Amino acid sequence: MNKTVLKRRALLFIIMVGIALTLGTFFVYSSLKAMEYSFSQVEIESKFQKHVITIILSSFLGFIAFSLSKYIIRGKYIINFVFLVIFTLLVTALTQTPINGTRRWITFAGFQLQPSEFMKLFLPLYLSWYYYKIGNKKKYFAYGIIIPLIITGVSVALIFLEPDLSTSLLIFILAILTIYINGVKNIHFYLTIFLLIALGMFIILNTDILHGYQKDRLEQFKSIENNYQLSQSLDAITNGGLFGSGTFVGEEKYTVPYSYSDFIIAVIGEEWGKLGIIMIITLYFLISRELILISRYIKNSAGRNYMIIFAFWIFFQSFINIGVSVGLLPTTGVTLPLMSYGNSSLMITLVSIGYIMGMIYYEIIDENNIEKNNIEEMEKVERVDEV
């Protein structure tokens, strides 16, 4: 594929991300207006302002990630420092005053930050960087499996203790996928999966690991009548019909709890109809597809593998969010990427996109940097030959 086509693909990717952000902003505003019976007008305007400020701030941080992308993977100080910061935030979150029975958030300058959202997309990047640095050592079980599992296990355990079952499971799945695509030995990987499944079954059968609200969600999933959120979400989507009631129009969305975050698809379904939901699913599919197609031309294995993981995540999480809203999955509290209200989720998503665009630019588009990278690779080969 020539460079012109790649530039067009990268531009198409950015345009689709922009479309998702723009649509999300409209739907968040419509959802917040529908919460007028729960929030005061001041609270509604405040939340919407925070949402817009988060987009602007996150875009700026994404530009910084874009600029530093060529140094992040090749160095060791920046990425280790960021990991320690996020890890410290996870520990700090456990010391905070509980909100709705959980310790997931840290309040800073009037904004609520959820460190687990940062770890969700940073851990795959950190593991990809780790495999890039150790090189062929990944063929050994200790380097390829044990160390990454320890890093993953400690991070997931902190999130599970908040408690946040859905996020900890999602991060664990992303970590396992990262380990697999980074080329560890198949025998090591499949043996690990077998042992993890056996351990998981033992824990589930012999311990009372789930919290009360998590058990309630599973019970509510079995009966729509007992699940108020899901019942109201389905009513809103049904009321929208095939083509929807119209933007900022609809009645059922006023009764959907947290419609601006976890159940924003209910608002989309009522205003844009089932065709609107199909359009949103298609948009996420195209965003993921473009990333995977572009990743094939990234020479740096860490950057390439992270792009694949990000593409999987954005489609998988959107599937979970929509699945919850239409009753296919139990209620989880997982947001719709780029569209739902959520400071931490938006921030890490846009920063990750900035980093990815930096990898695309410096690895594919910037001719001076490409030539420099080629020289560095040749020097590495020469040093190996000398040895």
Side-chain angles (χ1 to χ4, degrees):
M1 186 180 293
N2 62 51
K3 192 174 295 186
T4 302
V5 175
L6 285 170
K7 287 181 180 179
R8 290 175 180 171
R9 286 201 175 280
L11 179 61
L12 178 61
F13 171 74
I14 288 297
I15 290 173
M16 289 189 293
V17 168
I19 291 173
L21 276 174
T22 303
L23 291 177
T25 302
F26 280 108
F27 288 127
V28 165
Y29 183 74
S30 179
S31 302
L32 287 171
K33 294 294 288 184
M35 298 292 292
E36 62 184 12
Y37 298 115
S38 301
F39 298 131
S40 67
Q41 187 62 34
V42 174
E43 288 177 306
I44 291 173
E45 295 299 330
S46 175
K47 280 185 174 293
F48 183 69
Q49 288 173 9
K50 286 181 180 179
H51 181 74
V52 174
I53 291 172
T54 299
I55 292 176
I56 296 172
L57 176 61
S58 301
S59 299
F60 173 73
L61 294 175
F63 178 75
I64 294 177
F66 172 93
S67 304
L68 296 177
S69 59
K70 62 180 178 181
Y71 305 109
I72 292 175
I73 290 298
R74 299 183 186 282
K76 63 179 180 180
Y77 298 109
I78 296 178
I79 198 164
N80 276 317
F81 174 75
V82 175
F83 180 81
L84 287 174
V85 169
I86 296 176
F87 188 85
T88 302
L89 290 175
L90 281 176
V91 174
T92 304
L94 293 176
T95 67
Q96 302 300 296
T97 303
I99 299 176
N100 294 330
T102 63
R103 294 180 172 90
R104 302 177 186 176
W105 296 274
I106 297 174
T107 302
F108 178 77
F111 286 81
Q112 282 187 334
L113 299 179
Q114 190 174 352
S116 59
E117 289 292 334
F118 298 152
M119 188 60 81
K120 185 187 296 180
L121 289 178
F122 183 79
L123 184 59
L125 175 61
Y126 189 78
L127 291 178
S128 296
W129 168 83
Y130 166 79
Y131 282 112
Y132 173 75
K133 287 298 183 182
I134 66 173
N136 289 329
K137 287 183 179 180
K138 64 187 176 185
K139 66 182 180 181
Y140 300 109
F141 190 73
Y143 286 99
I145 299 294
I146 299 299
I147 293 177
L149 278 184
I150 291 174
I151 296 171
T152 300
V154 174
S155 302
V156 169
L158 289 174
I159 296 168
F160 183 80
L161 290 173
E162 292 176 349
D164 191 344
L165 178 62
S166 57
T167 300
S168 57
L169 283 176
L170 182 54
I171 291 176
F172 187 73
I173 291 172
L174 292 176
I176 293 297
L177 184 59
T178 303
I179 291 172
Y180 178 72
I181 69 171
N182 272 281
V184 298
K185 278 190 172 181
N186 284 339
I187 183 65
H188 292 166
F189 179 78
Y190 293 126
L191 175 62
T192 301
I193 292 298
F194 173 78
L195 293 175
L196 288 173
I197 292 174
L199 177 62
M201 292 298 295
F202 176 81
I203 292 174
I204 292 173
L205 294 175
N206 293 277
T207 62
D208 189 17
I209 195 171
L210 296 179
H211 291 265
Y213 81 94
Q214 293 166 343
K215 294 178 181 178
D216 290 341
R217 285 181 174 181
L218 291 175
E219 288 297 322
Q220 290 171 357
F221 177 64
K222 299 176 183 178
S223 175
I224 296 179
E225 293 76 14
N226 297 326
N227 190 334
Y228 181 75
Q229 275 185 306
L230 176 58
S231 178
Q232 299 308 118
S233 174
L234 291 175
D235 286 345
I237 294 172
T238 301
N239 190 55
L242 184 61
F243 299 103
S245 304
T247 305
F248 300 130
V249 180
E251 299 175 356
E252 297 296 333
K253 64 184 180 182
Y254 286 87
T255 62
V256 181
Y258 299 105
S259 59
Y260 56 93
S261 56
D262 303 350
F263 280 82
I264 197 168
I265 204 69
V267 177
I268 296 173
E270 183 167 31
E271 295 187 0
W272 282 25
K274 295 178 180 63
L275 281 181
I277 295 177
I278 294 173
M279 288 171 58
I280 296 301
I281 295 173
T282 303
L283 179 62
Y284 284 115
F285 171 77
L286 292 175
I287 289 174
S288 300
R289 176 179 177 273
E290 288 304 313
L291 266 187
I292 292 175
L293 290 175
I294 296 173
S295 70
R296 296 162 54 191
Y297 300 91
I298 300 293
K299 294 181 180 179
N300 183 287
S301 61
R304 178 178 64 250
N305 292 337
Y306 181 67
M307 288 174 66
I308 294 172
I309 294 297
F310 185 89
F312 170 81
W313 164 78
I314 201 166
F315 187 76
F316 185 58
Q317 181 157 315
S318 62
F319 169 78
I320 293 175
N321 178 273
I322 295 171
V324 168
S325 298
V326 299
L328 294 178
L329 297 170
T331 303
T332 60
V334 171
T335 58
L336 189 63
L338 297 170
M339 289 194 178
S340 290
Y341 178 92
N343 301 326
S344 304
S345 178
L346 261 180
M347 187 176 295
I348 189 60
T349 302
L350 291 181
V351 169
S352 298
I353 289 173
Y355 166 76
I356 287 170
M357 292 308 301
M359 292 299 298
I360 294 172
Y361 178 76
Y362 292 116
E363 291 279 334
I364 299 176
I365 299 174
D366 185 8
E367 295 181 357
N368 294 328
N369 191 69
I370 293 171
E371 184 177 349
K372 181 181 177 181
N373 289 342
N374 290 336
I375 293 173
E376 290 177 354
E377 292 298 327
M378 290 176 63
E379 290 176 348
K380 285 182 181 180
V381 173
E382 290 174 0
R383 285 196 294 270
V384 172
D385 291 340
E386 290 175 0
V387 175

